[in-house]
Amino acid sequence: GVQRYAGLTWTGDNYSNWTTLKWGGCMANSLGASGFPGVGVDVGGFAGPPPSEELFVRFCQNCCLQARFTIHSWNDDGSITECWSYGREATEVVKGCLELRRRYSDHIYTLFAGACTRVGGTGRRGLLEAIKECLGGEGCPVTRNVGYEFFEDDNARTDGGEEEEDEHARDGAR
């Protein structure tokens, strides 16, 4: 019954590293499929060292269309992560992410409305009204993977096989 009261929630106090960035979307998809309609991660990571400029920008790009987009932190050095902490270039990229989120806000609101029914969205609504409805909703998650929409497509339900190690794979994640 916790999903009845968690219309919009987060994945927990995540760590600021590349592994968290990689798995945050997977966690949001899993929670969505488990009855939590609106989920997101703390953008940039909540705990740990301040994220590098690249990590912070990639978090923003990755999360800007998730149900919950919140830059929220408590870094090990006592600082907080702010979008303007990284200079003009990074700030412009983050502004672009926020503009993209704004452009798709009607779609996000419709997905929230769809989370309140079994049959999908019912037109544009305000986010507050949609979240209130989600308290009793039983429908589709807002953040969901491709396999949710295209279940019959085998390629949409697999991770593609062996995982390749990227340059950030050994980032000291806990």
Side-chain angles (χ1 to χ4, degrees), residues 17-86:
N17 63 29
W18 291 94
T19 301
T20 298
L21 173 63
K22 179 178 181 176
W23 291 105
C26 296
M27 289 176 65
N29 286 335
S30 294
L31 285 163
S34 300
F36 293 83
V39 180
V41 302
D42 288 329
V43 175
F46 177 79
S52 67
E53 180 176 335
E54 181 184 4
L55 179 60
F56 179 68
V57 165
R58 298 299 182 205
F59 256 105
C60 291
Q61 291 170 328
N62 183 294
C63 300
C64 71
L65 296 177
Q66 286 186 0
R68 176 186 179 270
F69 180 87
T70 302
I71 300 170
H72 181 61
S73 67
W74 178 257
N75 299 317
D76 289 346
D77 65 2
S79 67
I80 56 173
T81 303
E82 301 286 359
C83 59
W84 51 82
S85 300
Y86 296 96

Side-chain angles (χ1 to χ4, degrees), residues 123-161:
R124 186 180 189 286
R125 298 197 172 145
L127 181 58
L128 182 58
E129 290 82 9
I131 291 172
K132 285 180 182 177
E133 287 182 20
C134 285
L135 295 178
E138 53 185 329
C140 302
V142 174
T143 303
R144 49 191 182 248
N145 63 29
V146 176
Y148 190 95
E149 296 294 332
F150 303 98
F151 186 77
E152 299 301 320
D153 184 344
D154 291 337
N155 293 319
R157 292 183 283 113
T158 181
D159 65 4

Side-chain angles (χ1 to χ4, degrees), residues 9 12 43 48 90 104 110 146:
T9 192
V43 175
Y104 283 95
T110 299
V146 176

